[in-house]
Amino acid sequence: MLLLYRGRMLGAPKVAGLGKNIYGQDYRRLYSIRKLIDKRWENGEAAAIYLNGHKDSVYCVQFDEDKIITGSRDNTIRIWDARSYRCIGKLGPPNNPRERNHIIRGDCEPTGVVPFFKMDVQSIEPAIRSKPPSLWHQASVLCLQYDDDLLVTGSSDFTAIVWSIKHGYKPIFRLTGHKAGILDVALDSKRIITCSKDTTIKIWNRKTGALIPACVSKNSTLANEALHVSNSSEDGRTIFAGGNDHVVYEYDTTTANVKRELRGHSELVRSLHLDSANGRIVSGSYDHSIKVWNSKTGSSDEDGGLMLNLGGLTSSWMLAAKSNYRKIACASQDGRVVIIDFGFGINGVELVEA
């Protein structure tokens, strides 16, 4: 639930977009800044910032108000500063033959919502942070997830690597046991969960990296090729899924019935992100577009279900997208990371950061 500024109590948990909860702040100003950001979402007014550095397709992205972390087909993970947008860290092998500038990049012309400002960010190549070759990925980085302490990355090399964020992204251990690429990862306070193209789900001890044998499950339905991405609501009552037929489906988990069909993409739906706090669904597609949908109602542009159509921001497939109250971070096959920033240039926008 989105809390109101004037109803927020000191000592309350930090919430993205509602400020740092410091005594004596000008909450009226915070409120006006946040309202302006929300208005820009409604009107489709944003800047597009392109982060250059990866040498091949970017498969995954996660971000917060301090950092952006991406994983790529070039075998590396990159850490970017979320304010300056400079690349500040790189995890992977030096002199990597996969970093061969195999960029599928061409002319692209935005369609639908056109950014009011575009910027390309070129960074000085950062030093490699990870030195032991045994703890580098040997193939594409397909997925990643992090919390305050750990970053977990999954790869086509059949393994996941666990990194310590608090110790400068030091590699802790490798999770070995899958027989095909790792497609997704999740973590909580005790466990790390990985799912693989080998159709298995494995659960690991977060502290030791040990496999928990009793919790390993196998489900052949994970190889249903028509479904490429899914996401569930926080209460577990709704699942969103998309795939080959270009449609995003909303399912009721209690009845297994389809509640809505979100139509607008013209190619495979490759990425879905449910931003429950802000009432939005963000989808990325092989049609080179990012679309923003109303998470509660509507199914198309005509009935208000489609809120924003961000097309043509890259020259190739959109492979991943995540969002928060202010930004959408997109990963593309053309090797770039695109930040769609609805707070760009707003005076005092840093005040609403948690």
Side-chain angles (χ1 to χ4, degrees), residues 89-106:
K90 176 182 171 184
L91 310 177
N95 305 315
N96 180 6
R98 294 292 294 275
E99 292 195 90
R100 60 189 184 279
N101 289 307
H102 180 64
I103 304 297
I104 308 170
R105 189 174 295 171

Side-chain angles (χ1 to χ4, degrees), residues 117-163:
F117 177 79
K118 293 174 66 177
M119 177 173 66
D120 268 281
V121 178
Q122 303 286 346
S123 298
I124 297 173
E125 192 69 1
I128 295 290
R129 296 198 180 194
S130 168
K131 294 185 179 180
S134 62
L135 287 176
W136 292 323
H137 280 303
Q138 307 301 314
S140 303
V141 180
L142 300 177
C143 56
L144 63 85
Q145 198 69 232
Y146 69 79
D147 58 20
D148 289 341
D149 300 312
L150 299 181
L151 163 68
V152 183
T153 57
S155 170
S156 293
D157 65 13
F158 305 178
T159 72
I161 297 178
V162 180
W163 316 78

Side-chain angles (χ1 to χ4, degrees), residues 32-75:
S32 65
I33 292 171
R34 179 57 192 271
K35 288 294 289 183
L36 180 54
I37 294 173
D38 293 342
K39 192 67 175 179
R40 283 189 173 183
W41 277 92
E42 293 176 13
N43 296 335
E45 299 172 354
I49 296 95
Y50 293 85
L51 312 187
N52 296 276
H54 281 297
K55 303 302 190 292
D56 212 324
S57 303
V58 185
Y59 287 136
C60 48
V61 60
Q62 186 181 346
F63 75 102
D64 56 40
E65 291 178 324
D66 298 312
K67 61 187 175 295
I68 303 160
I69 303 182
T70 55
S72 169
R73 191 171 183 265
D74 66 15
N75 298 14

Side-chain angles (χ1 to χ4, degrees), residues 262-313:
L262 309 182
R263 297 181 176 274
H265 283 297
S266 60
E267 295 289 343
L268 179 150
V269 179
R270 182 62 170 75
S271 175
L272 279 176
H273 176 69
L274 173 60
D275 182 0
S276 298
N278 297 291
R280 295 187 281 259
I281 304 162
V282 178
S283 60
S285 169
Y286 280 12
D287 65 13
H288 303 191
S289 79
I290 293 291
K291 297 187 188 299
V292 181
W293 312 81
N294 189 313
S295 67
K296 300 295 183 182
T297 186
S299 61
S300 66
D301 191 22
E302 288 75 18
D303 60 16
L306 180 61
M307 302 168 70
L308 291 176
N309 176 24
L310 299 156
L313 290 174

Side-chain angles (χ1 to χ4, degrees), residues 7-268:
R8 191 173 175 210
M9 298 175 62
L10 292 176
K14 293 180 179 179
V15 180
L18 298 182
K20 293 182 173 60
N21 199 27
I22 300 173
Y23 180 78
Q25 283 197 101
D26 185 347
Y27 286 100
R28 289 186 178 180
R29 188 180 182 199
L30 290 179
Y31 180 77
S32 65
I33 292 171
R34 179 57 192 271
K35 288 294 289 183
L36 180 54
I37 294 173
D38 293 342
K39 192 67 175 179
R40 283 189 173 183
W41 277 92
E42 293 176 13
N43 296 335
E45 299 172 354
I49 296 95
Y50 293 85
L51 312 187
N52 296 276
H54 281 297
K55 303 302 190 292
D56 212 324
S57 303
V58 185
Y59 287 136
C60 48
V61 60
Q62 186 181 346
F63 75 102
D64 56 40
E65 291 178 324
D66 298 312
K67 61 187 175 295
I68 303 160
I69 303 182
T70 55
S72 169
R73 191 171 183 265
D74 66 15
N75 298 14
T76 71
I77 299 106
R78 287 180 180 253
I79 303 103
W80 315 76
D81 185 285
R83 297 178 181 86
S84 70
Y85 296 121
R86 302 292 177 184
C87 184
I88 57 175
K90 176 182 171 184
L91 310 177
N95 305 315
N96 180 6
R98 294 292 294 275
E99 292 195 90
R100 60 189 184 279
N101 289 307
H102 180 64
I103 304 297
I104 308 170
R105 189 174 295 171
D107 294 333
C108 55
E109 189 64 32
T111 59
V113 175
V114 178
F116 66 75
F117 177 79
K118 293 174 66 177
M119 177 173 66
D120 268 281
V121 178
Q122 303 286 346
S123 298
I124 297 173
E125 192 69 1
I128 295 290
R129 296 198 180 194
S130 168
K131 294 185 179 180
S134 62
L135 287 176
W136 292 323
H137 280 303
Q138 307 301 314
S140 303
V141 180
L142 300 177
C143 56
L144 63 85
Q145 198 69 232
Y146 69 79
D147 58 20
D148 289 341
D149 300 312
L150 299 181
L151 163 68
V152 183
T153 57
S155 170
S156 293
D157 65 13
F158 305 178
T159 72
I161 297 178
V162 180
W163 316 78
S164 172
I165 292 179
K166 291 189 174 181
H167 293 89
Y169 297 91
K170 176 183 177 181
I172 304 173
F173 42 71
R174 186 189 293 270
L175 305 178
T176 304
H178 281 294
K179 297 180 181 179
I182 295 177
L183 302 176
D184 205 358
V185 297
L187 64 162
D188 61 20
S189 61
K190 296 182 179 179
R191 299 161 296 183
I192 297 169
I193 303 170
T194 56
C195 71
S196 167
K197 197 174 181 180
D198 66 11
T199 75
T200 67
I201 297 171
K202 296 185 185 296
I203 302 180
W204 317 78
N205 184 295
R206 176 186 172 113
K207 292 185 178 180
T208 66
L211 182 65
I212 304 174
C215 293
V216 178
S217 62
K218 186 170 184 178
N219 184 348
S220 61
T221 62
L222 290 176
N224 172 9
E225 292 182 359
L227 177 65
H228 287 264
V229 63
S230 65
N231 205 326
S232 63
S233 61
E234 293 179 0
D235 61 11
R237 299 178 63 179
T238 303
I239 292 176
F240 294 92
N244 282 346
D245 65 1
H246 319 163
V247 180
V248 177
Y249 294 94
E250 179 182 350
Y251 293 93
D252 186 326
T253 58
T254 60
T255 65
N257 293 330
V258 175
K259 297 170 62 177
R260 278 195 298 165
E261 297 180 5
L262 309 182
R263 297 181 176 274
H265 283 297
S266 60
E267 295 289 343
L268 179 150

